[in-house]
Amino acid sequence: MKIIVATDSDYEYIRESDHHILENLILPKIKKNEIYILRNQDESNIGWMRYGYFWDNTPFMNMIWVDEQYRGKGVGKQVVLLWEDQMKQNGFKLVMTSTQANEEAQHFYRNLGYRDAGCLLLENEPMEIILTKKLI
């Protein structure tokens, strides 16, 4: 498996695959190196991870997606650990993410050392758990 920073050539893949981002934000995030592409051995895209900044100063992983057949094989863990390492190299001491309370992802993040930091309640949505991790 290979993890690369997205380039302009990944725009269509992200636009077609990631339905949780406004189309006009894709290219700016690519330009800021805030999207990673996951590829398998034959260079086919198998997922992505994107992030932004909470309060404009704390890295916040917004979305991680791994195609179904590649889940449970350490792919997600690899991209999260790579991202954490890069954030640490950039001088950050804390990273954040969130997941809905009805999703299994909360266990994935907790196993990687993330701790509950609060929650967000939006109308007609499951509770969103906010998680943080100190980078040591």
Side-chain angles (χ1 to χ4, degrees), residues 23-123:
E23 187 173 342
N24 66 348
L25 294 178
I26 298 171
L27 278 175
K29 289 191 85 53
I30 287 173
K31 298 288 185 213
K32 291 191 254 176
N33 297 328
E34 294 177 357
I35 302 176
Y36 296 91
I37 301 295
L38 313 175
R39 294 202 171 118
N40 66 11
Q41 305 87 309
D42 68 1
E43 297 291 316
S44 297
N45 295 333
I46 61 168
W48 71 90
M49 189 279 280
R50 65 177 160 78
Y51 71 98
Y53 295 90
F54 185 80
W55 288 336
D56 294 329
N57 64 19
T58 303
F60 189 103
M61 186 182 344
N62 293 316
M63 179 75 176
I64 182 170
W65 177 267
V66 177
D67 288 347
E68 192 74 38
Q69 71 235 40
Y70 295 95
R71 291 181 190 171
K73 298 180 175 155
V75 174
K77 180 179 179 178
Q78 278 184 278
V79 72
V80 171
L81 294 177
L82 173 71
W83 174 70
E84 289 174 359
D85 186 57
Q86 290 183 343
M87 295 304 99
K88 185 177 178 180
Q89 288 179 29
N90 289 338
F92 294 102
K93 297 185 182 339
L94 182 79
V95 291
M96 300 176 72
T97 193
S98 70
T99 184
Q100 290 183 337
N102 64 345
E103 294 178 332
E104 291 296 313
Q106 62 182 294
H107 307 296
F108 168 76
Y109 292 119
R110 287 184 184 121
N111 286 337
L112 290 175
Y114 286 77
R115 301 289 171 244
D116 292 35
C119 65
L120 175 65
L121 296 171
L122 297 174
E123 191 171 333

